[in-house]
Amino acid sequence: MKLLETFRKLDRKGILGMNARNVAYIARYNERKLYPLVDDKLKTKEAARKHNIKVPELFGVIRYTAELNDLGDLLDPLTGFAVKPLRGSGGKGIIIISGRDGQNFLKPSGKVVTLKDIRHDISNILSGVYSLGGRPDTAIIESLIRGRPDLLKYSFEGLPDIRVIVFRGFPIMAMMRCPTAKSDGKANLHQGAVGVGLDICTGKAIRAVQRDVLVERHPDTGVDFSDLAIPDWDEILQLSAKCYDMTGLGYIGCDFVLDEYRGPMILELNARPGLAVQIANGIGLRTRLEAIEKLGNVDLHADERVAYVLEKFGVLSAKQA
Amino acid sequence: MSPKGQVYLFAALFILLGLGLTAYKSLMLHFPLLPDSERTVWDIEAKLSFETRGTPLTVSLALPEKQQQFKILDEIFASAGYGFAIEENHQRRAIWTRRDVSGSQTLYYKFKITERADAQELSSQDLPETVIPPTWSSAEEVAARSLINSATDLSSDATSFTQQLLQMLTDAQLSQDAQLLFESSRGESIGELAIKILNAADIPARMVRGIYLENRVYNQRAEELIEIYNGKEWVFFNPYTAQRGIPSNFFMWQRGGQSLLDVVGGYNSRVRFSVIGNDISAKAVALQEAENQTAALVDFNIYSLPLDKQNTFKSLLLVPIGALVVVIFRVLIGIKTSGTFMPVLIALAFIQTTLTAGVLILLSLVAAGLWIRSYLSKLDLLMVSRLAAVLITVVILMAGFSVLSYKLGLDQVLTITFFPMIIIAWTIERMSIIWEEDGPREVVKQGGGSLVVAIIAYLLMTNDFIEHLTYNFPEVLLIELGIIMILGQYTGYRLTELKRFRFLIE
């Protein structure tokens, strides 16, 4: 029974499966009533502001189709912005505008879109195309994040983001997601973006994976991943730990972007983070989750939790696991 | 108790209860666990014909009585224009009445019978009435006495007497006495004559009418047996062969008593029988048999519903099987489906359309829908309007397919209406968004996943054994519930994850 053997090996390696994630972690540690805090980006922003966590600036909120008439006035002073569905997930329905061409707008790919195009996309968002169950949604317009050049070189078109898995306030595993031509500039690993496992203690690259294949260089930009070290890593760990205090959700994925001028910012939080981070790191999540669970109900400050992680989950201890 | 413990407790409770009830019904109430082989159901038609001259008319037909070898499943009385009633006094009789009708008339009585699974020896406990000796002419009296004497000499009791007498009456070389009796009683059958002689010998005897169950027999007369009472029990004889016992394929219609058919106000009346044997699945027979069951578990059962409602429930009871398949595929195997239970609805539609036709119809419907939807997406419609537009497109496509295929003579495609159109419209909408967002690969992956799950659900839902089990043992629902609850606690890897994460252990 080769399958059974694979099963046992994965289990021994502490790989977390989808069923275990759903039953043992999401259902147990994420209270349903707290979901809106992460699913609704406006609420996330509000809560983040209270906890002094940086988020992209909000330019406007569009709730009703009628408000689209004033869209021109709202967008007129802006050169770069992002339109997002409030309750969207997985990066669906996001429109990025990185520049202007007179009255028209420019996508990062250089494609020119008109105000009418943007109106149409927003009307799609409002009618609920991207929200769960097709509920009518709201569109928000945010400031565009200017990626740091030293990170942008690891990416094709889009912005690389950093996903940190936070369990009961302990940042336990992290990766950087680098868009590629294959992923159409999106940071989704299953669409072909490169996942770079990051040493949770240092923010340095462990290895890079694209669709189950180890890669050394970015397939489009050719930059070597082994030199990658995320700047401001301590701040990212701090912010991740604080996200737990902010949401109360025990098992979340925090998505960060590093702005050239403002530093690490929370892009969004996810109460059902995927399991691809294990593939990027080559390490199972369960070993670390269980280590945290063993601590019991300790009431630690965010700094103390980060300190614990730094002590326990370095790249050395990872190799032991 | 921890939630996990509660789940296992309830799951175990449900499964045990389900198994227990199933075992009870199977062992104590003799419900077959397996869909057994086919059983023969006989379609019998009695055709009553007579002529009338416009006088008030009363037609009375003896109906078959409840009996041990055969079970009557279904009775139909075709009697347009006639008043109709069933009389249940001494014997069950159907009565047709009409005030004013003339010319030749035909009435039909049709029913279905099947052999009982637990057939027992027929035993009749009723005691004979006092024997009334027949009235003979003196010549007949002498001839009958002579027959009785020779039969008495050759026999030891009433049974062997009858045997001997019938042999004398059916002998190829009839004795002079027997010849005389036959000639003087013109128009009487051997059975009728034998009964007269038996009565003269002070042996209680009566006529039994019935038909032989042979496939494709038309316009058959009622056949006769006689039965005699030997002091302890009734014994049957075939008067034409002098053989003792009831032939195995003899369906008894009427024992003793009156005539088979009485027509008051008509003449030239006669009854003719037609028999057709059909091999029908035992389940269909059990279904009809069950109507006569009285056990509480059966009484509070789906069988107590009207037949068309039962059919609805039949498919309802299969839905949990589909749900179980979906749970297994998502939790244990890890195949993505578009819409959680959409595959179950598709599988239900497949049951009506058959698999190949169903898959072809579905694929062409979704493909055509996706193509039209891709144009709609350019038109800047609000989502609800666009969804409604897709829905209408689906309806138009369904109508178009139906008409076109009907013209082409492909009746199978007419079952297209069984596809749940709202679900299909929603599927088209979702697929088209997946197409735009994640590309056609993901559409094929999710659509294919749904189709595979639907096909497997269909194959299970149409499996004879499962169909039989869910329908006849609704307790199985509890077992399914228990299994699904346990699966809901499964935290191991999905089959597809073994492949997904295999990379990590290499």
Side-chain angles (χ1 to χ4, degrees), chain B residues 19-156:
Chain B
L19 285 176
L21 285 171
T22 307
Y24 171 74
K25 267 171 84 173
S26 161
L27 298 175
M28 308 302 286
L29 300 178
H30 303 294
F31 271 67
L33 261 183
L34 295 169
D36 42 7
S37 55
E38 303 204 310
R39 277 163 75 174
T40 308
V41 170
W42 301 95
D43 275 307
I44 300 176
E45 180 189 280
K47 183 177 165 192
L48 286 56
S49 46
F50 50 88
E51 281 168 50
T52 164
R53 288 199 193 90
T55 48
L57 190 69
T58 304
V59 181
S60 152
L61 175 75
L63 297 181
E65 291 170 63
K66 291 203 166 148
Q67 38 191 297
Q68 270 130 327
Q69 276 92 338
F70 296 98
K71 194 168 260 181
I72 298 176
L73 297 175
D74 189 18
E75 288 181 305
I76 300 166
F77 302 89
S79 50
Y82 281 81
F84 177 75
I86 290 182
E87 204 179 67
E88 311 229 22
N89 297 337
H90 178 59
Q91 191 185 24
R92 230 159 69 89
R93 293 189 83 91
I95 315 285
W96 286 271
T97 46
R98 195 163 181 178
R99 171 88 49 197
D100 184 27
V101 66
S102 56
S104 65
Q105 298 288 310
T106 314
L107 294 172
Y108 291 97
Y109 164 55
K110 294 177 195 176
F111 61 103
K112 292 177 201 292
I113 54 165
T114 183
E115 228 163 314
R116 278 176 194 269
D118 50 348
Q120 293 154 353
E121 266 304 294
L122 183 104
S123 63
S124 187
Q125 299 305 318
D126 61 328
L127 292 174
E129 293 161 23
T130 26
V131 175
I132 305 158
T135 44
W136 308 102
S137 66
S138 53
E140 288 170 332
E141 180 83 44
V142 174
R145 275 294 142 215
S146 151
L147 281 179
I148 290 169
N149 288 338
S150 3
T152 312
D153 288 344
L154 294 171
S155 63
S156 59

Side-chain angles (χ1 to χ4, degrees), chain B residues 343 347 350 355 359 450-460:
Chain B
F350 283 166
L355 190 58
V359 171
S450 307
L451 198 60
V452 165
V453 175
I455 289 174
I456 289 173
Y458 162 84
L459 290 177
L460 285 177

Side-chain angles (χ1 to χ4, degrees), chain A:
Chain A
M1 282 306 287
K2 202 161 165 276
L3 284 179
L4 208 67
E5 203 182 312
T6 314
F7 194 103
R8 245 187 252 123
K9 274 187 188 161
L10 287 175
D11 195 47
R12 225 175 291 136
K13 205 155 189 252
I15 306 295
L16 185 68
M18 205 56 118
N19 292 327
R21 182 203 75 170
N22 291 344
V23 173
Y25 295 100
I26 292 183
R28 194 175 302 162
Y29 292 101
N30 288 354
E31 256 187 276
R32 190 78 227 182
K33 64 168 187 192
L34 298 174
Y35 275 39
L37 207 54
V38 295
D39 289 345
D40 181 328
K41 293 190 183 70
L42 282 178
K43 285 189 180 149
T44 314
K45 271 187 199 301
E46 178 64 22
R49 210 176 43 78
K50 276 188 196 149
H51 284 79
N52 280 323
I53 297 172
K54 275 176 282 177
V55 287
E57 197 185 332
L58 184 66
F59 290 148
V61 179
I62 295 172
R63 289 195 172 80
Y64 309 105
T65 314
E67 292 174 305
L68 285 177
N69 294 332
D70 308 327
L71 188 68
D73 297 340
L74 179 68
L75 297 184
D76 198 42
L78 307 175
T79 47
F81 58 89
V83 183
K84 298 177 179 175
L86 191 56
R87 279 179 282 269
S89 69
K92 286 185 179 173
I94 293 176
I95 313 154
I96 306 281
I97 298 299
S98 55
R100 296 293 291 257
D101 178 18
Q103 277 303 303
N104 291 336
F105 302 86
L106 288 172
K107 284 198 167 181
S109 59
K111 196 185 159 200
V112 179
V113 289
T114 61
L115 184 64
K116 194 173 155 255
D117 293 331
I118 296 177
R119 269 208 193 109
H120 172 230
D121 290 342
I122 293 180
S123 110
N124 262 346
I125 293 174
L126 295 185
S127 57
V129 170
Y130 307 105
S131 71
L132 232 71
R135 273 194 313 170
D137 204 356
T138 301
I140 57 174
I141 299 165
E142 292 180 338
S143 64
L144 183 73
I145 293 142
R146 306 283 175 184
R148 295 171 60 118
D150 54 344
L151 289 184
L152 276 179
K153 65 183 179 187
Y154 293 104
S155 164
F156 174 80
E157 281 190 2
L159 207 59
D161 72 353
I162 293 153
R163 156 70 59 94
V164 183
I165 303 290
V166 183
F167 180 55
R168 299 176 68 191
F170 295 86
I172 57 170
M173 205 177 277
M175 66 169 166
M176 184 164 84
R177 297 182 294 193
C178 309
T180 62
K182 242 185 202 162
S183 78
D184 196 22
K186 286 177 186 147
N188 273 335
L189 294 195
H190 74 269
Q191 287 179 322
V194 175
V196 186
L198 300 173
D199 180 351
I200 194 71
C201 298
T202 61
K204 285 184 179 154
I206 300 172
R207 63 178 197 168
V209 181
Q210 184 185 30
R211 279 222 170 108
D212 288 0
V213 180
L214 283 177
V215 291
E216 290 187 353
R217 295 166 182 279
H218 191 282
D220 307 308
T221 65
V223 180
D224 193 338
F225 285 115
S226 60
D227 307 330
L228 173 70
I230 307 293
D232 303 326
W233 187 248
D234 293 338
E235 198 183 344
I236 290 177
L237 289 181
Q238 285 289 336
L239 288 175
S240 311
K242 274 195 203 160
C243 282
Y244 169 66
D245 304 312
M246 165 185 142
T247 59
L249 289 162
Y251 185 79
I252 48 172
C254 306
D255 293 350
F256 290 93
V257 281
L258 276 78
D259 189 89
E260 194 178 356
Y261 309 107
R262 301 180 62 206
M265 278 195 267
I266 289 280
L267 199 57
E268 64 178 9
L269 300 176
N270 197 321
R272 313 162 195 82
L275 302 170
V277 68
Q278 302 180 107
I279 297 176
N281 279 268
I283 305 166
L285 271 169
R286 224 188 48 222
T287 326
R288 295 185 177 184
L289 289 167
E290 279 165 2
I292 304 291
E293 275 185 311
K294 266 195 210 116
L295 293 177
N297 276 324
V298 285
D299 191 18
L300 296 176
H301 187 265
D303 296 333
E304 295 170 297
R305 292 194 299 258
V306 171
Y308 177 87
V309 168
L310 289 176
E311 188 196 328
K312 291 279 181 186
F313 301 143
V315 80
L316 274 176
S317 25
K319 275 191 180 138
Q320 283 158 11

